[in-house]
Amino acid sequence: MNIPSAKILSRRLGAALVGAAAIALAGAASAETVRVGVSAGPHAQILDAVKPIAAKQGLEIKIIEFTDYVIPNAALAAGEIEANSFQHQPYLDNQVQDRGLDLVSVGKTVVFPMGIYSNKVKSLAELPEGATVAVPNDPTNGGRALLLLEAEGVIKLAEGAGLKATPIDVVENPKGIRIVELDAAQLPRSLGDVTAAAVNTNYALESGLNPLTDAIARESADSPYTNIIAVREQDKDKPWVKQLVESYHSPEVKQFVQDKFKGSVVAGW
């Protein structure tokens, strides 16, 4: 039996290492990259926790942050990003209907119970006559805020107004409160000017408000407004979509949500 010399073994080892490196580089080069649009704050933080899990499956996530609720869907429809994670199902349904966008939900993410905040009163029962209450100006979140005000006994809405309720659907308003509609991102900054404001949790957290201790009223945890991951209809069956959703739904991400937000954000899957 011939025994290879040390020089030959060294050459073979070197060749093997080069080959392994080439395979690794090829694998890295073949890793798919997807751009995912999010709103700043919790959505971005959670997706950052998803990234290393997705990377293990060969999926590289590039997080693109947006500052409002309109542009992420427009960017997705235009192909500027491959997915987004910032909205709940009723909002997506409204966008699809009103703007004719060919977008679909492929997986649930988290629930952000909406809260009502105030720098002037400690409960909704303390709202004075003619108080000004600010709500989001987009159709679904505005309706959501009005439903919360109704649940708290502040107003009563017309029967059947549902998720798309607007201020004109208010049929009973015992204290004569004035409802003003503002961009959702501006609501935390409006607290110095209004009596109270209904603020989405992601914007509340971003502004330093604690939904568990600062909100004077809050949606229950069984809110129907679970957030979702959206993609273009043509992409919904692509392998990377399954990888993205499975990575998001991992036990590690659920634990991150629990540890990071301590109940102010709830896993919805």
Side-chain angles (χ1 to χ4, degrees):
M1 181 172 63
N2 292 325
I3 300 176
S5 68
K7 185 178 290 187
I8 293 174
L9 285 173
S10 177
R11 288 175 180 171
R12 288 180 181 175
L13 178 58
L17 290 173
V18 170
I23 291 171
L25 287 172
S30 64
E32 189 156 13
T33 299
V34 295
R35 298 162 295 178
V36 183
V38 296
S39 52
H43 281 298
Q45 292 171 310
I46 296 169
L47 200 62
D48 200 47
V50 175
K51 283 182 68 172
I53 299 164
K56 294 177 183 177
Q57 298 192 45
L59 183 67
E60 181 182 346
I61 296 174
K62 184 176 181 181
I63 300 173
I64 310 294
E65 291 191 16
F66 294 91
T67 58
D68 70 4
Y69 284 163
V70 177
I71 299 176
N73 280 331
L76 179 55
E80 296 170 3
I81 55 178
E82 282 69 51
N84 65 40
S85 175
F86 79 100
Q87 64 194 321
H88 49 61
Q89 188 68 54
Y91 184 82
L92 175 63
D93 292 342
N94 186 75
Q95 289 270 293
V96 168
Q97 181 179 344
D98 290 356
R99 297 174 178 270
L101 303 178
D102 198 15
L103 308 179
V104 296
S105 167
V106 292
K108 294 182 178 181
T109 58
V110 291
V111 181
F112 293 79
M114 178 179 277
I116 297 177
Y117 301 82
S118 175
N119 291 342
K120 299 177 174 63
V121 296
K122 294 183 178 179
S123 73
L124 288 175
E126 295 181 11
L127 285 176
E129 296 283 337
T132 300
V133 179
V135 301
N137 65 359
D138 62 90
T140 50
N141 284 302
R144 181 181 184 181
L146 294 174
L147 288 170
L148 177 55
L149 289 169
E150 182 179 49
E152 294 292 324
V154 177
I155 60 172
K156 185 175 181 179
L157 298 169
E159 187 175 350
L163 303 180
K164 292 189 176 183
T166 70
I168 65 173
D169 293 309
V170 176
V171 294
E172 292 184 21
N173 187 355
K175 292 190 175 182
I177 67 169
R178 177 172 171 259
I179 299 172
V180 297
E181 298 174 287
L182 301 174
D183 181 80
Q186 303 301 318
L187 286 165
R189 291 193 285 274
S190 77
L191 288 172
D193 303 314
V194 301
T195 313
V199 184
N200 292 81
T201 294
N202 58 315
Y203 288 127
L205 291 171
E206 189 180 340
S207 300
L209 295 169
N210 185 326
L212 297 178
T213 59
D214 296 332
I216 61 173
R218 190 166 175 254
E219 284 178 330
S220 62
D222 61 355
S223 164
Y225 297 92
T226 303
N227 284 258
I228 51 92
I229 296 171
V231 302
R232 290 185 295 278
E233 171 79 29
Q234 67 195 54
D235 292 336
K236 67 179 182 179
D237 295 320
K238 290 185 176 178
W240 65 261
V241 174
K242 183 179 179 181
Q243 291 175 318
L244 175 60
V245 174
E246 288 182 348
S247 299
Y248 203 114
H249 289 178
S250 66
E252 295 92 334
V253 172
K254 179 171 283 190
Q255 190 64 51
F256 172 82
V257 172
Q258 293 174 353
D259 294 343
K260 179 69 176 177
F261 303 108
K262 305 194 184 302
S264 60
V265 180
V266 183
W269 69 92

